[in-house]
Amino acid sequence: MASNKRMKGVSATLPVYTFNFAVPLTGKKANDSDHTHKWTVGLRGFHGDLSFCIKKVVFRLHDTYPNPVRTIEEPPFELQETGWGEFEVLVKVHFHPAANEKAAQLYHHIRLHPYQDDPSGGPWPKDKPVTCFLYDELVFNEPTESFYQILQENNVISSSGLPLRKPTGKDYSVPPFSVQMEQEELDRLDKAQREVNQQIIALRQRKAMLEQEKTTA
């Protein structure tokens, strides 16, 4: 039977992402206040329902909202609101007592406007939600044996949960993260590092040539 003993030298990582979807307000409700958009903000994971380890999620909105601290105690861990401005939301993740872990703090910037054309090359469609996804990881250093077992039972230890390929559908609610995307980013970083190293070598060679010219002048 698993215990509350800490597992020395062991760490476990749970990939998650915060998100928001936003659409312009239309009709009568849009005229009732200065709010221009309806939006949803939330926390999700790649292993399905996160309630196996998360007890509740507390969202702290901008202080101009009535009751800016909103608590969601069951999945889906998300809330809907309306507003006119973009701001940063504090997302505080509380774990079940069995985890014996302190609450984790994440941040998400509410995005209401696309600031770009549609990926198809045309203007952003008026009826298409604006989306913002932010990848993050909940890292458990030296988890208890009982919590580690819970993570194992939900495939957190054996798999990152990330899909292998980038999404190709038009479902706006699907995050862009994947193993393929991660590898492409690593390849870009590796290429950039090689180019920087080549430039450093070229500059050193140039410096050595100039110094040699000075000594022979």
Side-chain angles (χ1 to χ4, degrees):
M1 182 178 179
S3 69
N4 287 327
K5 181 181 178 181
R6 293 284 179 178
M7 301 178 69
K8 299 296 183 181
V10 174
S11 67
T13 301
L14 176 63
V16 297
Y17 62 93
T18 57
F19 68 92
N20 85 264
F21 312 133
V23 293
L25 275 174
T26 57
K28 181 179 178 181
K29 190 171 183 179
N31 300 323
D32 290 341
S33 69
D34 57 357
H35 289 190
T36 60
H37 289 75
K38 177 181 179 180
W39 49 261
T40 301
V41 64
L43 172 74
R44 294 177 182 172
F46 301 94
H47 293 83
D49 184 357
L50 290 173
S51 62
F52 67 87
C53 66
I54 294 178
K55 180 181 180 181
K56 63 181 179 180
V57 178
V58 179
F59 298 89
R60 182 171 183 85
L61 310 182
H62 195 274
D63 289 339
T64 54
Y65 280 89
N67 304 316
V69 179
R70 313 284 179 87
T71 301
I72 308 298
E73 297 186 342
E74 58 184 23
F77 297 111
E78 55 191 62
L79 65 87
Q80 292 186 346
E81 255 295 354
T82 61
W84 59 267
E86 300 184 345
F87 61 94
E88 190 172 66
V89 177
L90 168 63
V91 183
K92 195 166 186 178
V93 184
H94 295 261
F95 304 100
H96 288 298
N100 199 14
E101 295 282 345
K102 294 181 180 179
Q105 291 193 167
L106 310 176
Y107 294 89
H108 184 88
H109 188 83
I110 297 293
R111 184 180 178 190
L112 303 181
H113 308 284
Y115 302 115
Q116 64 196 30
D117 289 335
D118 187 66
S120 64
W124 194 272
K126 292 183 178 180
D127 59 345
K128 181 178 180 179
V130 171
T131 61
C132 178
F133 298 97
L134 296 178
Y135 178 89
D136 217 316
E137 293 180 345
L138 302 175
V139 180
F140 308 104
N141 290 316
E142 298 188 350
T144 64
E145 292 178 350
S146 58
F147 186 49
Y148 190 83
Q149 182 175 325
I150 291 173
L151 296 175
Q152 275 187 318
E153 292 171 351
N154 287 274
N155 300 318
V156 174
I157 305 302
S158 60
S159 170
S160 69
L162 288 171
L164 294 178
R165 310 292 296 179
K166 292 189 292 187
T168 57
K170 296 183 179 181
D171 185 353
Y172 71 86
S173 65
V174 176
F177 312 115
S178 65
V179 174
Q180 179 186 4
M181 178 185 180
E182 182 179 43
Q183 186 58 52
E184 289 176 352
E185 184 65 20
L186 290 173
D187 291 343
R188 282 193 291 268
L189 291 172
D190 183 62
K191 180 181 178 182
Q193 184 64 61
R194 290 198 305 270
E195 291 175 350
V196 169
N197 291 340
Q198 290 173 356
Q199 292 176 9
I200 291 173
I201 293 173
L203 287 171
R204 286 175 176 171
Q205 291 175 342
R206 176 62 176 165
K207 179 182 178 183
M209 290 177 60
L210 292 173
E211 291 177 345
Q212 186 175 7
E213 290 175 0
K214 287 174 63 177
T215 57
T216 58

